[in-house]
Every structure is written in structure tokens, then in C-alpha cells.
Amino acid sequence: MKLLAALLLILAFTGVAWGADTSASFSRGRYLTRVGDCRACHTEPGRAAFSGGRPIETPFGVIYTPNITPDAQTGIGKWTFADFYRAMHNGIDDDGDYLYPAFPFPSYTNLTRQDVKAIWDYLRSVEPVHRKNRPNTLRWPYSMRSAMRVWRALYFDPHTFKPDPNASPMLNRGAYLVRGLAHCGACHSPRNGWGAVRQEYALAGGTVPIDGWYAPNITPNPSTGIGGWSAQALSNFLSTGRSERGAALGPMRDVVQSSLQYLTDSDLAAIVAYVQSLPAQGPTLKVAHTAPAATPNHQIPGAALYHKHCSGCHGDDGHAKHDYYPDLRNNSIVLAANPTNLVLMILQGGFEAATDAHPYPYSMPPFGFKLSDKEVAKIANFVRRNWDRRLVPQIAPQQVEPLR
């Protein structure tokens, strides 16, 4: 009894409570790790969680994500918290080597030390996996990590997020998440020739280095961004991957599935409020003087192909026959200034996100094996120009072939 009393007294004076790092700390770290979508990047399909090896295609070659399990030989088991914080905040690993910005440390630098510590505590609790890291296959001179010194001097400024004193707590929380842990700008922003985010066009859309998909404009542009989205539509899209404005596809489907569906209601509302508060970026599409026909004209190029291959699910008028198929009218993917994602969906098909709210996602079959480049372009142009007055750019067959 005396030994137990002494132990309790020591715990009291050192500020340690029973279960302190098994409930609140563990849950917070797991939540933040999900918000950062760490598992998705650091897990190769079919392999153990966080054991690395997933290839990230870049214009400079392939980067393979590292093992971040607490294995002492091949993971981060020998790292200290100071090592981990330096990697997250400064983009420098435990050996002092510069990390490539495929790891979004230019976003993670915004994180508070407390949040980085919670993530660190959670990662130390996962199952250690002995798996050696795969060497990157970058072209010279990008394979020289020392070249990152110049890149960092030009494009990286280590800092911690500072709340805007003129903004509400909700907007500041949204800014912290979007700019930091959720690293939305890493995909949804254009990059320059050196792979750095063009901050003057932040969140105005960019090509994702994953299978060639395009991350659309998520600023309040009324024709090419989220300007026509309601807060509820955005909330539905982020949490379930579905809304009346379209479905999450390609890499965004995976983000919803592994990360965004786990956002708390308050964090979800904060992200939505923040992106809706931003200034609009990107081009605004011209609007036709005459309204499109209410019913399809089968003399229009692509109409017959659409009727044969698409109308069974999406309806002759673009209104889906069932609520589990996306409407094509007023659909953000269909009407995007950049048509890449629409063409990829026609070619490859795909599944919607599987979430707790929508556990059995519906799929679209691929048509690339049966349709020529010219036929894909005709269908895409038909759905883009037939029901909406926005004058979206026409798609040429030559734009289809590289996406196959």
C-alpha cells in the first residue's frame, strides 16, 4: 500500500494521470493524422498501414513515400520528437537531409507544436513494420538533395500559422486546416516549373501528380469554382463525396474516403466557411445569349452516342433516373474549364467514395475500350454544351488520346 501511495504521489506531482495518453491524446493524434491523410500517401495498396512505398509521380521523376511506422531499422523508431517536428515544420529529416515538397511540409509548417506532438504520439502507437524504403527515381539534377537548398531559399518560409485578428474563430480554424494539415493547396493550386505552388493563384486549380487528374478551382468563382455551391452542398461533398453538384472522383474520392469523412462537424463547417470567404480566382466563362434546348436534339453531334451509352443512367435530359447517379446538369466536373476529369471518367469509369454515410458506392463502367477518341470527345462536348449556357471550351479528340 505504501508503494502504491508513493507512486500516486509521484504521478500527481509530475502531472501524469492514469490513461492520459491512451484516450484523449491517442484520439486527437489519430484524428489529426486522418485530417492530414497521412495513411493514404504512406501506404502502398495491399501493404501494411504507414509502411510507405507508394509512388508519387512528379514532373521530375518518381518519389516513393517512406515508412513512418515506429520500426527502429526501417521506420522512424529511432527518431526523437525534435526530429519529427523538424521534418514537419522545416522539411528536414533526422539525418539533416532536405525533404522533397512531394511531402507537403510547405503546408505542414503552419501546424502548432502541440498538433505535431499529438500526431507523433499517435504514429508511435501504430504497429511497427520492418520494410526498407524504396529509393526515389528522380532525374538529375533533381536527384541531388543539395539542390533543394536553392528551392527552399526561393519558395519556402518556415512559419507557424498566425490567426487573423480581424477574422472570426471559425474562419481562422478553417484557414488553419486548409493551409496546414489538410494541405488543400498542394493539389488545388497551380505550380511553377520548379514544382512550387504559385501562391498568387492559390486554390485556383491544378494538375494532380496522381494519374493525371485535375484538382479544380475551389475559390468562389461563379462559373469555374465553387461560387454556385451552397454551404450544405460543399459540406455534403466533403463528408460523403456526393452532392447535387457532382461526386468526388479520382484522387479526391480517396481523400474523402480516408480523410474528410472523419472531420468533426465544427471543422467541416470551418473549412466550408473559409473557402467560401476567399476572393474568386481563375477565368469566368462567357454565357450564351440563347438558352439550350430543354430536350435533347439528336441532330446535335454526340447526342446519339449519349443516348446509346449514357441516358440509361443519366437520363435523356441530364437529370439522373435515380438519386444514386449524378445529375449532369450544373455538374462541376462536366462544366469545368479544364475537361480532364470528365474525359477520364468516360475512359476509365470508377467508384464513388465509400463512407460511413454512403458505405456501398455506385460505380460507372469504363467506355475507353469501346469508344474512339473522337466519340469520347463528342459525348463530352454534348454534355458540356447541351444543357447549360456557360460557353465551356470544346474538347478535341487530340486531348483524349494522352489520357488513355
Side-chain angles (χ1 to χ4, degrees):
M1 291 296 294
K2 290 182 178 180
L3 179 61
L4 177 59
L7 179 59
L8 290 172
L9 187 62
I10 292 171
L11 290 172
F13 277 102
T14 57
V16 179
W18 291 107
D21 54 1
T22 60
S23 55
S25 178
F26 177 87
S27 296
R28 178 169 175 75
R30 180 176 62 178
Y31 174 73
L32 294 172
T33 303
R34 281 175 164 173
V35 175
D37 208 12
C38 307
R39 179 170 180 161
C41 279
H42 288 276
T43 307
E44 185 180 12
R47 295 282 192 160
F50 302 108
S51 65
R54 181 166 184 172
I56 304 295
E57 299 280 350
T58 78
F60 317 108
V62 180
I63 292 176
Y64 295 91
T65 58
N67 182 344
I68 57 170
T69 72
D71 181 71
Q73 284 72 45
T74 63
I76 59 173
K78 291 184 178 180
W79 286 36
T80 64
F81 171 65
D83 294 332
F84 186 72
Y85 182 77
R86 184 171 65 168
M88 295 282 283
H89 187 72
N90 291 331
I92 301 173
D93 70 12
D94 64 322
D95 290 326
D97 292 329
Y98 295 127
L99 299 174
Y100 292 108
F103 172 63
F105 65 86
S107 297
Y108 292 163
T109 190
N110 283 284
L111 300 184
T112 64
R113 196 176 187 89
Q114 293 88 341
D115 279 354
V116 176
K117 181 62 164 60
I119 295 170
W120 165 248
D121 288 340
Y122 171 71
L123 289 177
R124 287 195 302 167
S125 75
V126 305
E127 185 71 25
V129 178
H130 187 84
R131 187 188 184 197
K132 291 183 178 180
N133 291 321
R134 187 172 175 180
N136 300 323
T137 55
L138 296 171
R139 300 188 308 276
W140 189 89
Y142 311 110
S143 57
M144 299 172 58
R145 287 187 183 267
S146 58
M148 281 298 299
R149 185 187 301 273
V150 178
W151 189 95
R152 293 166 62 90
L154 292 171
Y155 305 117
F156 179 53
D157 175 29
H159 61 274
T160 302
F161 176 81
K162 293 183 179 179
D164 181 351
N166 298 316
S168 68
M170 174 183 280
L171 287 180
N172 275 314
R173 177 63 178 173
Y176 176 73
L177 292 169
V178 170
R179 296 183 203 167
L181 195 55
H183 60 283
C184 306
C187 287
H188 288 275
S189 301
R191 293 178 181 265
N192 63 22
W194 290 97
V197 168
R198 299 183 63 182
Q199 294 295 342
E200 70 273 26
Y201 301 116
L203 305 180
T207 299
V208 184
I210 304 174
D211 301 327
W213 288 78
Y214 183 80
N217 186 341
I218 55 171
T219 72
N221 186 301
S223 60
T224 58
I226 59 168
W229 290 61
S230 67
Q232 188 61 57
L234 278 170
S235 179
N236 291 342
F237 182 83
L238 295 176
S239 59
T240 70
R242 308 184 81 220
S243 82
E244 65 268 24
R245 299 299 300 270
L249 305 169
M252 189 62 189
R253 174 202 61 201
D254 298 335
V255 172
V256 170
Q257 191 166 288
S258 61
S259 175
L260 298 180
Q261 69 160 314
Y262 299 107
L263 288 170
T264 62
D265 290 344
S266 60
D267 279 352
L268 181 62
I271 288 175
V272 169
Y274 174 68
V275 295
Q276 288 188 318
S277 75
L278 295 171
Q281 294 272 23
T284 298
L285 300 175
K286 294 181 180 180
V287 177
H289 294 295
T290 57
T295 58
N297 180 348
H298 290 283
Q299 301 304 313
I300 298 174
L305 286 167
Y306 173 85
H307 180 74
K308 178 180 179 181
H309 297 291
C310 314
S311 63
C313 294
H314 297 288
D316 275 332
D317 59 357
H319 287 302
K321 292 188 174 181
H322 301 283
D323 61 3
Y324 40 75
Y325 298 130
D327 278 353
L328 299 183
R329 289 174 177 254
N330 206 29
N331 185 299
S332 292
I333 293 174
V334 171
L335 296 171
N338 186 315
T340 295
N341 296 352
L342 173 61
V343 172
L344 283 172
M345 277 306 298
I346 297 173
L347 291 173
Q348 300 177 4
F351 282 88
E352 294 181 350
T355 64
D356 291 344
H358 186 222
Y360 303 107
Y362 290 93
S363 66
M364 175 173 164
F367 290 91
F369 72 97
K370 64 169 64 175
L371 297 176
S372 67
D373 293 347
K374 187 175 181 179
E375 289 172 325
V376 171
K378 281 185 176 181
I379 291 175
N381 285 325
F382 174 77
V383 299
R384 281 162 69 81
R385 302 297 289 265
N386 193 56
W387 301 304
D388 197 275
R389 296 178 64 182
R390 278 169 282 191
L391 296 177
V392 292
Q394 289 279 345
I395 302 169
Q398 292 82 359
Q399 294 172 264
V400 177
E401 193 277 333
L403 297 174
R404 284 188 179 273

